[in-house]
Amino acid sequence: MTSILQVEGGHPLTGTITVRGAKNFVPKAMVASLLGDTPSELRNVPLIRDVDVVSDLLRAHGVEVSFDQAHGTMVMDPSNVTRAQRSDIDALGGASRIPILFCGPLLHQLGEAFIPELGGCNIGGRPIDFHLEILRSFGATVEKRADGVHITRPAEGLQGTVIDLRFPSVGATEQTLLTAVRAEGLTTLRGAAVEPEIMDLINVLQKMGAIISVDTDRTIRIEGVSSLRGYTHTALPDRIEAASWGAAALATHGDIYVLGAHQPDMTTFLNTFRKVGGAFDIDAEGIRFYHPGGTLNSIALETAVHPGFMTDWQQPLVVALTQATGLSIVHETVYENRFGFTKALRKMGAHIQVYKECLGSTPCRFGQRNFMHSAVISGPTPLHSADITVPDLRGGFSHLIAALAAEGTSRVSGIDVISRGYEHFITKLRQLDARVNYVEN
């Protein structure tokens, strides 16, 4: 039997919910614990599927993991790191792309690493070849086999290197950081991603004893050290989840106070939210997002790497833009396949057209590659209920927002995908007076 979420739409979401640590940071900080020679303590850890996957992978490699779920505190002791059983890695590898980030720490600790076929959301190209190229540049030997990728460290150890990224990739930046901190000599990474989650990972590594400097031109320099210790760190809050709830408030004419939301990491989203016609109040505990009444405004929007408008903010906001007056234009420049979720919105009555052309202020790297990476949203259009299948994490939450905003009762299948990045999202929906319940297919 398959669980389906039944959503009665047309009711404003109102109330208070809490966001904890960022899904795009916490699993990476957990991986970093492998680099230390003493236990690490990570606080503000959310109960999400990606945390479960990394916990199981750490345990498979001999790390002792204890998790106080009520307080969100995790302790990881790498004193007995060992080779994992192939069956354990194979069973966990398909659930996430996180295993590729284990390579650098495992090469330092064990001299070898194995990566099975990886999973993750189908939103565009995130090939592991970039990661493997980075590992080779440190001197690792990479061998692709039928069962996965086998990586080994040279006898003299990994060596510092110079890496130039063609695009500020978050994953490639994380791979470089987690590998360079214990490589011999200086590593220079040019064209690095500098998202808040990257900077918090640098904070963690610095607490462990790493020497890392960040220049204003996206150049990161890492001076390798021979050993690292454990850390104690509180994860930054999840700015994607906070923005998703903000978009839900706007789309449903609601009023949601998001405890834990952090203004400095959300400046670009907040500016856009206000331009569309949303309102917000900020205090020391969080951010209140609400629809102030009246009409919403159409906008032109372009996603970009930090400090631009985050690609993960785009999908939930598009749902709200279906209720704005006029034509909104959204140009996606980070992932080439991020508008697949709009098919379900059109099924619900939204007027959205997608285009191959760059409809932003400047051409992007997808412009001549036949990707549907621009969208035009015409509104306002009333949304009606429909049967929906969740395509991916962010698109799935956006479908959920649409179902909550629509008139009638929708049935949403594949809902468990959302648990990869949204902690207790069903409980939070009920805290906001959403009318949702599970039914059996």
Side-chain angles (χ1 to χ4, degrees):
M1 302 290 284
T2 302
S3 292
I4 292 177
L5 190 68
Q6 187 168 281
V7 181
E8 182 182 324
H11 307 286
L13 296 182
T14 58
T16 300
I17 54 94
T18 300
V19 297
R20 289 206 279 192
K23 178 255 184 192
N24 283 358
F25 162 77
V26 169
K28 290 63 176 291
M30 293 169 64
V31 173
S33 70
L34 267 174
L35 291 160
D37 52 20
T38 57
S40 293
E41 181 177 308
L42 185 59
R43 300 167 181 167
N44 202 29
V45 176
L47 287 165
I48 57 176
R49 176 59 181 152
D50 275 13
V51 166
D52 292 338
V53 170
V54 178
S55 296
D56 289 342
L57 281 168
L58 287 172
R59 292 187 180 103
H61 286 93
V63 178
E64 184 178 332
V65 180
S66 61
F67 187 18
D68 181 346
Q69 296 183 356
H71 296 92
T73 301
M74 179 175 288
V75 176
M76 296 152 286
D77 186 351
S79 301
N80 298 303
V81 174
T82 187
R83 293 174 179 82
Q85 295 294 318
R86 179 67 54 80
S87 58
D88 292 336
I89 301 176
D90 288 340
L92 295 166
S96 169
R97 292 177 184 263
I98 297 297
I100 190 66
L101 295 178
F102 274 69
C103 292
L106 288 176
L107 288 174
H108 289 302
Q109 294 284 48
L110 301 176
E112 64 178 11
F114 169 76
I115 302 300
E117 184 177 350
L118 301 180
C121 293
N122 182 23
I123 57 176
R126 293 188 285 182
I128 67 169
D129 286 347
F130 291 128
H131 293 265
L132 301 181
E133 183 179 335
I134 287 168
L135 294 168
R136 286 190 185 97
S137 72
F138 283 98
T141 298
V142 177
E143 183 181 359
K144 294 184 180 180
R145 301 178 188 171
D147 60 343
V149 182
H150 296 251
I151 308 164
T152 54
R153 183 190 68 198
E156 65 274 17
L158 301 180
Q159 304 296 310
T161 186
V162 176
I163 298 171
D164 289 285
L165 296 182
R166 297 185 293 272
F167 181 80
S169 163
V170 169
T173 300
E174 292 164 342
Q175 184 70 258
T176 302
L177 288 168
L178 291 167
T179 306
V181 286
R182 284 187 55 186
E184 184 177 348
L186 175 68
T187 295
T188 300
L189 174 62
R190 293 192 283 255
V194 292
E195 273 66 9
E197 295 82 6
I198 292 287
M199 301 310 296
D200 215 23
L201 180 59
I202 290 174
N203 292 339
V204 162
L205 293 170
Q206 188 178 59
K207 286 181 176 181
M208 298 178 76
I211 302 172
I212 305 172
S213 62
V214 183
D215 296 341
T216 56
D217 63 351
R218 294 184 177 273
T219 297
I220 299 178
R221 292 181 173 84
I222 308 104
E223 299 178 37
V225 297
S226 59
S227 64
L228 295 169
R229 58 184 175 273
Y231 63 82
T232 298
H233 188 78
T234 300
L236 82 170
D238 197 313
R239 61 192 176 122
I240 303 173
E241 183 182 357
S244 297
W245 291 114
L250 198 57
T252 65
H253 287 248
D255 187 336
I256 302 176
Y257 181 29
V258 183
L259 291 172
H262 190 220
Q263 179 190 9
D265 299 333
M266 299 186 66
T267 301
T268 306
F269 177 83
L270 294 173
N271 286 338
T272 303
F273 189 82
R274 179 168 281 161
K275 288 177 182 178
V276 173
F280 56 86
D281 299 327
I282 300 169
D283 60 29
E285 302 299 321
I287 303 175
R288 173 196 172 202
F289 297 94
Y290 59 99
H291 192 307
T295 60
L296 299 181
N297 308 312
S298 57
I299 60 168
L301 177 65
E302 199 163 50
T303 66
V305 296
H306 188 76
F309 192 91
M310 191 180 192
T311 179
D312 287 324
W313 291 335
Q314 170 267 105
Q315 291 169 295
L317 188 66
V318 163
V319 180
L321 290 177
T322 67
Q323 305 309 302
T325 299
L327 292 178
S328 293
I329 299 173
V330 180
H331 181 208
E332 172 63 51
T333 74
V334 179
Y335 288 126
E336 68 271 26
N337 191 31
R338 199 126 214 192
F339 285 121
F341 80 103
T342 61
K343 181 178 179 180
L345 299 185
R346 288 192 293 272
K347 182 179 178 181
M348 300 176 77
H351 293 168
I352 303 174
Q353 292 180 295
V354 293
Y355 297 89
K356 299 174 184 177
E357 293 78 16
C358 295
L359 299 183
S361 58
T362 55
C364 77
R365 61 201 174 113
F366 305 137
Q368 303 300 321
R369 298 172 59 192
N370 210 34
F371 295 120
M372 296 291 191
H373 69 292
S374 293
V376 175
I377 304 103
S378 177
T381 53
L383 301 179
H384 55 76
S385 60
D387 290 346
I388 307 166
T389 299
V390 168
D392 58 68
L393 174 59
R394 307 303 174 188
F397 197 86
S398 301
H399 288 166
L400 194 55
I401 294 173
L404 291 161
E407 290 296 329
T409 300
S410 298
R411 289 163 57 90
V412 186
S413 59
I415 201 75
D416 290 344
V417 172
I418 298 175
S419 66
R420 281 192 54 225
Y422 292 86
E423 180 186 43
H424 297 319
F425 69 96
I426 298 296
T427 300
K428 291 177 183 179
L429 285 171
R430 289 173 175 151
Q431 289 172 343
L432 299 172
D433 292 328
R435 303 179 188 187
V436 297
N437 63 282
Y438 279 110
V439 296
E440 295 299 327
N441 187 18

